[in-house]
Amino acid sequence: MLLTNRFITRTRNRAVWDILRGYEEEIRGRLADLYLTLEIDHDHGVAFKRQIMEEDTPRILRKDRPLSRDASFLLIFLCQECAHADPQDELVVVTRAQIDEFLSAYRQDDDGDQAKFDRRVTAAIRQLQDLWLLNQDPDADYLYTISPVVVPLVGVDELTRLEAAYRLGAGATANDGNGTENSAQLLDEES
């Protein structure tokens, strides 16, 4: 299951998680044979694989499209929200209004129209939903659950890079409304 999915979580895949914990070293060895490393975050209950990036290793995992500028900024917001939560507590939930408020700092001059801005926000949400990083509540369409994989998958280095783009985007937006070239490339490979 780990080879066919970006990640597995303890809460969604309990049986697979238990097998992974029981055979962790064997699975690490098999993945290493495929030029992959196994990443497990026991606190968040998340496991995923990463491509070993060495000069002579074949590329096993497919490349994904880079995140849009707005989806990159939204990912920073999700990481910030998760940073304040205890991984052992309930899942972190955000509202569409919170997302709108956060991304409104990045409205561009050509977004004068509220409908256009709403479409951009919806596209950013959809992009993170497609990556299973954000899940819409089936009973309340304005609520979104943040996947516990956000924190370990993004990592400190990637978050630092995204936050630098965030600050640059905020400055460019505040100065001249132009910051579209600052889209980050999270999940350069399937993880």
Side-chain angles (χ1 to χ4, degrees):
M1 183 164 200
L2 191 57
L3 285 176
T4 58
N5 292 294
R6 293 181 186 283
F7 57 87
I8 60 167
T9 63
R10 177 179 49 224
T11 55
R12 280 190 145 172
N13 313 96
R14 188 58 188 209
V16 175
W17 180 262
D18 291 341
I19 291 169
L20 178 65
R21 295 282 313 264
Y23 294 96
E24 185 174 332
E25 289 310 310
E26 292 87 345
I27 293 169
R28 279 186 194 283
R30 295 288 185 202
L31 288 174
D33 292 342
L34 297 172
Y35 304 101
L36 302 171
T37 59
L38 175 63
E39 304 284 339
I40 300 177
D41 185 312
H42 295 285
D43 291 337
H44 291 92
V46 174
F48 55 94
K49 65 217 174 282
R50 287 197 194 271
Q51 175 77 50
I52 295 174
M53 300 303 287
E54 293 178 4
E55 196 172 302
D56 58 344
T57 58
R59 186 153 186 92
I60 304 298
L61 300 176
R62 68 179 171 84
K63 286 187 86 121
D64 285 332
R65 323 185 313 258
L67 290 178
S68 69
R69 174 182 176 272
D70 294 322
S72 297
F73 292 155
L74 179 53
L75 184 60
I76 292 170
F77 173 68
L78 300 182
C79 289
Q80 290 171 345
E81 290 297 305
C82 287
H84 304 295
D86 180 355
Q88 304 306 319
D89 287 345
E90 293 293 315
L91 295 172
V92 180
V93 176
V94 294
T95 65
R96 171 65 189 241
Q98 289 174 297
I99 294 170
D100 286 347
E101 180 181 342
F102 179 80
L103 289 178
S104 69
Y106 305 101
R107 280 186 85 151
Q108 298 172 334
D109 289 340
D110 61 351
D111 281 347
D113 173 343
Q114 183 64 36
K116 185 172 184 177
F117 175 72
D118 287 345
R119 285 191 301 273
R120 281 186 41 220
V121 172
T122 299
I125 290 170
R126 191 171 300 122
Q127 195 173 12
L128 294 185
Q129 285 178 302
D130 290 347
L131 294 170
W132 295 96
L133 300 178
L134 194 60
N135 302 301
Q136 190 171 26
D137 187 312
D139 298 324
D141 63 353
Y142 63 93
L143 291 176
Y144 297 89
T145 303
I146 303 172
S147 172
V149 76
V150 166
V151 174
L153 184 63
V154 174
V156 175
D157 293 340
E158 185 67 19
L159 184 58
T160 301
R161 188 175 71 75
L162 285 171
E163 285 178 334
Y166 171 84
R167 285 190 298 277
L168 184 62
T173 301
N175 293 334
D176 62 7
N178 185 6
T180 57
E181 68 278 355
N182 297 323
S183 64
Q185 292 189 32
L186 174 73
L187 299 174
D188 212 11
E189 59 192 48
E190 179 183 74
S191 296

